[in-house]
Amino acid sequence: MEYSVGQTGRVIAARLFEGEDLYESIEQIATKEQVRCAAVLITGGFRKADVVVGPKQEEPKIEPDFRTFTGPGEAFGVGTIYCDDTGPKLHLHAAMGRGGQNLVGCPRGGAKTFLILEVTIVEIVGIEAGRKLDPATGWNLLRVG
């Protein structure tokens, strides 16, 4: 385990509009506001999203298993922002649904807003943390300290 203790910095409230991309929008805010570490909350709706629901396979390399969420539907989620070598990167997991169809996972691959998506970014200051390439997985994983 690795950990570091910091404090709450700024709190940013944002509203995404119809069709806006979840990752693109939040990472754009983080870049503009120079947010390096943060917790993220979302509430609202998704028009569509390609969602990682777990590994399709683990060996020899982890391969994500994607499912498509076709909305419009409701969504809420929690995530983090930490920087890699190129800037702030969002990692978020969400639950989304429409009627009796529900899906939980990591919405990637063009997660688009339906009507409104409320975003709260809670900046964390005073810690050293970032995403670094992990040779074993090939993914940029969080490193603290």
Side-chain angles (χ1 to χ4, degrees):
M1 177 187 330
E2 302 172 345
Y3 75 94
S4 183
V5 178
Q7 296 93 27
T8 303
R10 299 170 293 170
V11 177
I12 300 168
R15 174 186 171 189
L16 305 189
F17 295 105
E18 174 72 40
E20 288 188 304
D21 183 88
L22 171 72
Y23 280 76
E24 187 178 288
S25 298
I26 292 174
E27 289 174 359
Q28 182 179 37
I29 292 167
T31 299
K32 181 178 180 186
E33 296 300 325
Q34 298 180 349
V35 174
R36 302 197 48 77
C37 304
V40 178
L41 308 169
I42 66 162
T43 305
F46 283 160
R47 169 100 20 220
K48 70 176 193 75
D50 290 331
V51 183
V52 176
V53 295
K56 187 183 292 185
Q57 69 178 34
E58 292 183 68
E59 301 290 336
K61 200 168 193 176
I62 297 172
E63 182 181 336
D65 187 7
F66 281 91
R67 297 286 188 274
T68 299
F69 173 74
T70 304
E74 302 300 313
F76 69 91
V78 296
T80 57
I81 296 171
Y82 292 103
C83 292
D84 68 9
D85 292 338
T86 64
K89 296 295 176 227
L90 173 66
H91 180 208
L92 185 129
H93 286 233
M96 60 215 78
R98 178 178 179 172
Q101 175 192 8
N102 301 299
L103 189 59
V104 176
C106 184
R108 291 194 246 167
K112 302 293 185 195
T113 301
F114 166 62
L115 186 59
I116 182 174
L117 193 63
E118 298 171 0
V119 176
T120 305
I121 301 170
V122 180
E123 183 180 39
I124 303 165
V125 296
I127 65 171
E128 288 297 321
R131 301 196 190 282
K132 304 278 188 240
L133 181 63
D134 175 56
T137 63
W139 296 6
N140 281 336
L141 300 180
L142 177 62
R143 296 304 308 252
V144 179

